[in-house]
Amino acid sequence: MTATSPTQSPSTAEAAINNIKGTEDPEVADKGNEVEPETDADDFDDNEIIDHTTFDQLLEMDDEEDHEFSKSLVWNYFEQAEKTFLDMDNAMEKLDFPDLSRLGHFLKGSSAALGLTKVKESCEKLQHYGNRKEAAGVESISNEEAEKLIRSLLVQMRQEYKEAESYLRVFYEDDE
Amino acid sequence: MCTTSTTSLLQDSKTSSTFFNKAITNMSASSPILSTISPPSSPAMSIESDFEDQDETTTTTTVQQPRKIKVMIIDDNSVNLTILSRLLNKHFADTIQLTSVQNSGLSALDQLTKDEVDLILMDIDMPVLSGVETTTAIRNNDSHSEHSILEQNMKVPIIAVTTSDAEEQRELYRQVGMADCVSKPIAIPKLRMAIEEAMKTVSTNG
C-alpha cells in the first residue's frame, strides 16, 4: 500500500533511521548479526507531525488492553489518503480545480481528526488554491498561479503524509 | 436498533445492559439538562409499596424513566464517521443511543422518512447535498423522494460538526435552522455542551 509519488528528498523519518544506523554497535556488526536498528516513536521529532491532544483523545477510545480500534482507524486513513492522492493526481492532469479543492477539503477532515497537523494544513491550502485563492483563502489568484502552487503543494503534501505514516507505523509497531 | 448505509462502522459499537441502569443513576450527575428530557413514550416502572393498615391498601407509584436520546450522524468521510460513532458510544453511552449512521445527505433524508430521531449531528461539506442543503430540506420537508419526512424529524435539533467553522459560516448554519456548530477535531466537552443546549431548546419548546 504505497502511493505513487514523485521523486522527493528524504523525509525526517528516513533521516532519523539513517542516523541510528550510523551509530550501530560495531561489535554487533562484526559478528555478522543482521540486526535491524531499532526505531521507536521517540526517535521522531513529532512536534509538528502529530497533535498529541487530538491523537491521545483517539487512543483513549481504545479498549484498555490494546489499540485495535485506533490502529484500524489509522490504517483505514492510510487507504483513504492513498486513494485521495491518486484522485488528486488525476484532477491535476485535467486541471480540475474544483475537484482538487473538494479533495483537499475531504482529506483535511480525516487528517484533522487524527491530529495530523501538517497534512491538515496542506489540505487546507489545496482547498483554497483549488478555489483560486491564496493560502489564507482571501485573495484571488490566477489559474496559472493556482496550477503552480498546487503542483508544488502536492509534492509537499505527500512528503508530509509519508512522515506521518512512518511515525504512526512505528508507533503501532512499538505497541505490539 | 441502528440503520446505516456504512454497515462496517458499527462493528465496534458497544452496548451493554448496564447502560440503562447507568442512565438512571448517573444521568443527573453527568448532565442535569440531558436528564430532564421527557420523550413522548417512555418505559414506566411500577413500584409497589404495601401499607400495613386494616384495608391492606396497596399504593402503586409509576416512575417515568427517561429514555436515551436517539441520534443520527451524517458524514461522507468514513474515518470521521467511525470516530464520531465511537466517541458517542464511549463518552455518551448513558444518555445517547446512536440509531442511524449515514454517509450522505440523501440517505439521511430517506431515513428521516422512516424513523424518528431526537438529534442530528451533521457534517457540512458533503458531495451532492451539503449539510446546509440537507438541513434546509429537513426544515422544508423536502425528502427528495415520494415520501415525506416524519413530522417530528422536521424540527429535530441539528448540530453541524465541521472544519468549516468561521463566524460567517456559523451564521449561515443558524439561518438555515441549525442549533449549533462543533469544530473538528471534536472536543468532547464542547460536543457535550452543544448537545445539552440543543436538547434544552427541545425541552423548552415542548
Side-chain angles (χ1 to χ4, degrees):
Chain A
M1 181 178 74
T2 309
T4 302
S5 59
T7 304
Q8 53 192 288
S9 57
S11 67
T12 301
E14 290 173 273
I17 292 171
N18 289 335
N19 285 338
I20 292 167
K21 285 181 177 176
T23 58
E24 190 177 78
D25 185 348
E27 186 175 357
V28 172
D30 286 344
K31 289 182 178 177
N33 291 330
E34 293 185 357
V35 178
E36 288 292 327
E38 291 189 359
T39 308
D40 59 31
D42 291 339
D43 294 321
F44 289 85
D45 177 14
D46 64 355
N47 288 336
E48 295 181 352
I49 300 175
I50 298 280
D51 168 23
H52 281 284
T53 302
T54 303
F55 190 63
D56 288 353
Q57 181 173 287
L58 191 66
L59 295 179
E60 285 171 10
M61 290 196 276
D62 284 326
D63 294 326
E64 289 182 12
E65 303 81 32
D66 57 45
H67 287 309
E68 187 179 336
F69 167 73
S70 65
K71 183 176 180 180
S72 69
L73 187 74
V74 168
W75 258 245
N76 183 16
Y77 169 80
F78 290 159
E79 290 180 12
Q80 183 187 86
E82 299 286 350
K83 180 182 183 306
T84 304
F85 285 132
L86 290 177
D87 291 342
M88 288 174 180
D89 288 341
N90 291 335
M92 194 63 211
E93 280 184 18
K94 294 179 278 188
L95 293 181
D96 187 344
F97 291 121
D99 204 31
L100 283 162
S101 180
R102 179 187 66 79
L103 290 167
H105 181 86
F106 178 79
L107 194 60
K108 180 179 79 170
S110 44
S111 301
L114 297 183
L116 306 187
T117 309
K118 288 203 280 189
V119 178
K120 172 227 168 186
E121 288 172 356
S122 292
C123 286
E124 184 158 5
K125 285 181 185 175
L126 178 61
Q127 182 184 346
H128 292 316
Y129 294 160
N131 283 333
R132 265 61 64 81
K133 302 282 187 186
E134 42 77 39
V138 178
E139 301 293 328
S140 295
I141 59 177
S142 67
N143 285 355
E144 292 73 26
E145 285 175 299
E147 179 184 348
K148 183 180 173 184
L149 287 168
I150 291 173
R151 286 197 190 281
S152 172
L153 182 63
L154 289 179
V155 174
Q156 176 187 323
M157 194 186 304
R158 266 212 171 82
Q159 185 174 348
E160 290 165 347
Y161 165 75
K162 284 298 179 187
E163 280 184 350
E165 183 192 18
S166 297
Y167 174 86
L168 289 169
R169 286 188 185 278
V170 170
F171 173 84
Y172 284 104
E173 281 174 12
D174 285 351
D175 189 58
E176 289 174 356
Chain B
M1 179 69 73
C2 178
T3 59
T4 177
S5 58
T6 313
T7 56
S8 62
L9 288 172
L10 297 179
Q11 288 174 356
D12 62 340
S13 298
K14 287 191 173 181
T15 58
S16 168
S17 59
T18 63
F19 283 167
F20 182 73
N21 293 330
K22 274 189 181 179
I24 297 171
T25 58
N26 296 335
M27 191 171 286
S28 59
S30 64
S31 179
I33 297 299
L34 291 176
S35 67
T36 62
I37 303 302
S38 298
S41 61
S42 301
M45 186 171 74
S46 296
I47 301 173
E48 292 187 349
S49 62
D50 293 328
F51 292 90
E52 291 182 358
D53 57 17
Q54 293 181 346
D55 296 332
E56 294 185 358
T57 304
T58 302
T59 303
T60 301
T61 304
T62 300
V63 177
Q64 196 81 352
Q65 298 298 331
R67 66 165 171 81
K68 294 183 185 180
I69 300 168
K70 292 188 289 186
V71 175
M72 170 188 281
I73 62 175
I74 311 167
D75 198 311
D76 65 316
N77 189 311
S78 62
V79 170
N80 295 339
L81 268 181
T82 303
I83 289 174
L84 185 53
S85 295
R86 183 80 167 191
L87 190 151
L88 290 175
N89 285 327
K90 275 275 186 179
H91 295 282
F92 295 83
D94 55 347
T95 52
I96 279 178
Q97 180 186 4
L98 182 58
T99 58
S100 185
V101 180
Q102 305 297 327
N103 63 0
S104 74
L106 278 178
S107 65
L109 292 176
D110 182 61
Q111 196 58 38
L112 291 171
T113 66
K114 302 169 185 172
D115 294 318
E116 289 183 349
V117 297
D118 301 312
L119 175 69
I120 296 175
L121 303 179
M122 171 129 52
D123 183 28
I124 291 295
D125 292 285
M126 296 185 288
V128 184
L129 269 188
S130 69
V132 168
E133 291 165 333
T134 304
T135 299
T136 303
I138 292 170
R139 295 292 183 244
N140 295 335
N141 193 11
D142 180 10
S143 68
H144 292 240
S145 73
E146 59 184 51
H147 303 290
S148 297
I149 292 172
L150 299 178
E151 187 174 346
Q152 183 201 319
N153 291 340
M154 290 172 59
K155 298 178 183 177
V156 68
I158 301 172
I159 296 174
V161 181
T162 179
T163 54
S164 302
D165 58 354
E167 187 51 43
E168 57 269 24
Q169 290 164 309
R170 289 174 178 266
E171 178 57 31
L172 172 61
Y173 306 155
R174 279 190 286 268
Q175 286 177 6
V176 299
M178 288 182 152
D180 206 334
C181 173
V182 173
S183 303
K184 287 176 180 172
I186 299 169
I188 294 168
K190 290 189 177 178
L191 178 61
R192 188 179 298 277
M193 192 180 311
I195 292 174
E196 288 188 1
E197 288 299 315
M199 300 313 296
K200 192 194 300 184
T201 306
V202 172
S203 298
T204 304
N205 293 338

